[in-house]
Amino acid sequence: MEERTTVRSPEQLRLMHVHAHPDDESSKGAASTARYVSEGVEVLVVTCTGGERGSILNPKMERPEVLANLAKIRREEMERARDILGVEQRWLGFVDSGFPENPSDPLPEGCFALQPVEVAAAPLVAAIREFRPHVVTTYDENGGYPHPDHIMCHKITIAAWEAAGDPDAYPEAGPPWQPLKLYYHHTFHRERFQALHDEMVRRGLESPYAERLAEWKPDPAHAARVTTRVPCAEFFKVRDKALLAHATQIDPDGPWFACPLEVQIAAWPTEDYELARSLVDVELPEDDLFAGIRGSSA
């Protein structure tokens, strides 16, 4: 961990999630977000792109008028999810890069993933300095999965984390503010899916995960990266409602909802994170993104 610093403890805790597309905020960490909102934490979701090049993943939404207005519809979906979660939300305004079928295919000119990191980080630095979060979350260096926008999201979040507290960096972006902890989402890891599978089998249910787990080799080093498990099962219903708000992306009859809620609550009642950087003393493992920050004096 990094060198400890004095906590500047204002009157209210603040949490910032930096995501690549609309719907990412609802598929990664949404239940813990809802938990923190219920506790009075201010939460800002920063969405890097508009999701303009995303595919329509819900067959019921595969209609010409939806495809013709996808950018507008995805913004409207984000507004609904934002209100369900009770968060603030800000668009950085970059254009979705799309997900190339072949990794060697060129990305579209002007898209988010092709921006210089120092340029793309500028509006995020401004957002950090304005919102003044104590905790920031994003994806790991692999993007959680290798979507070019997720990887770019990681890059600009690291750059903004390093710059936001430096008064000599981006002086036009407002007074410096240094967040205290940076986390990576680890929602989709093998240990969780194994637990869900085992609980479904124990209950005599057909698991949708058997084939996936058979092909998914254990990776102890990756599993060990999870440092923080936030209990939030009572907010899984809120998470699901926010997910369903993204109707172009989430099929209510699809794999997102293949595992019954009661199984999820019994088998894996947390959302999981990796503490990537900390400027406060911590004891790992944790069960709170604000561990080491709550109750600290300025």
Side-chain angles (χ1 to χ4, degrees), residues 13-18 36 41-42 44 128 131-137 161 177-183 273 275 277 280 288-291 293:
L13 295 173
R14 289 181 294 276
L15 169 63
M16 173 185 282
H17 297 305
V18 186
Y36 285 121
V41 175
E42 290 185 56
L44 174 64
I128 290 173
F131 184 67
R132 303 195 306 164
H134 303 91
V135 174
V136 176
T137 76
W161 166 278
W177 173 264
Q178 179 59 59
L180 299 172
K181 299 175 86 176
L182 173 68
Y183 288 92
Y273 300 83
L275 179 60
R277 305 199 182 181
V280 295
D288 180 11
L289 301 183
F290 293 95
I293 299 174

Side-chain angles (χ1 to χ4, degrees), residues 78-155:
M78 181 69 245
E79 290 176 4
R80 288 192 287 273
R82 174 199 68 197
D83 293 343
I84 290 164
L85 293 172
V87 301
E88 300 176 47
Q89 190 259 341
R90 176 180 302 199
W91 302 95
L92 288 194
F94 296 105
V95 177
D96 190 344
S97 305
F99 190 53
E101 292 185 14
N102 188 326
S104 63
D105 290 344
L107 294 174
E109 185 177 351
C111 70
F112 177 48
L114 294 182
Q115 301 300 312
V117 171
E118 65 275 12
V119 173
L124 183 55
V125 171
I128 290 173
R129 290 178 177 177
E130 179 182 338
F131 184 67
R132 303 195 306 164
H134 303 91
V135 174
V136 176
T137 76
T138 192
Y139 320 125
D140 67 13
E141 65 280 1
N142 298 310
Y145 78 108
H147 191 298
D149 286 337
H150 283 239
I151 294 171
M152 185 62 168
C153 186
H154 165 83
K155 290 178 179 178

Side-chain angles (χ1 to χ4, degrees), residues 174-248:
W177 173 264
Q178 179 59 59
L180 299 172
K181 299 175 86 176
L182 173 68
Y183 288 92
Y184 300 152
H185 290 275
H186 278 281
T187 300
F188 304 105
H189 57 82
R190 194 183 190 284
E191 185 182 7
R192 174 174 172 264
F193 282 96
Q194 185 69 60
L196 297 176
H197 169 82
D198 291 346
E199 182 65 15
M200 291 189 78
V201 171
R202 189 186 71 79
R203 294 176 181 227
L205 302 173
E206 184 177 354
S207 169
Y209 308 121
E211 184 176 344
R212 180 177 184 180
L213 287 167
E215 298 173 352
W216 192 352
K217 302 304 180 186
D219 185 349
H222 187 268
R225 292 181 64 166
V226 174
T227 61
T228 310
R229 304 185 192 273
V230 179
C232 52
E234 65 184 287
F235 297 97
F236 284 178
K237 287 184 178 180
V238 180
R239 173 204 64 194
D240 289 354
K241 189 176 179 182
L243 266 172
L244 289 168
H246 293 283
T248 59

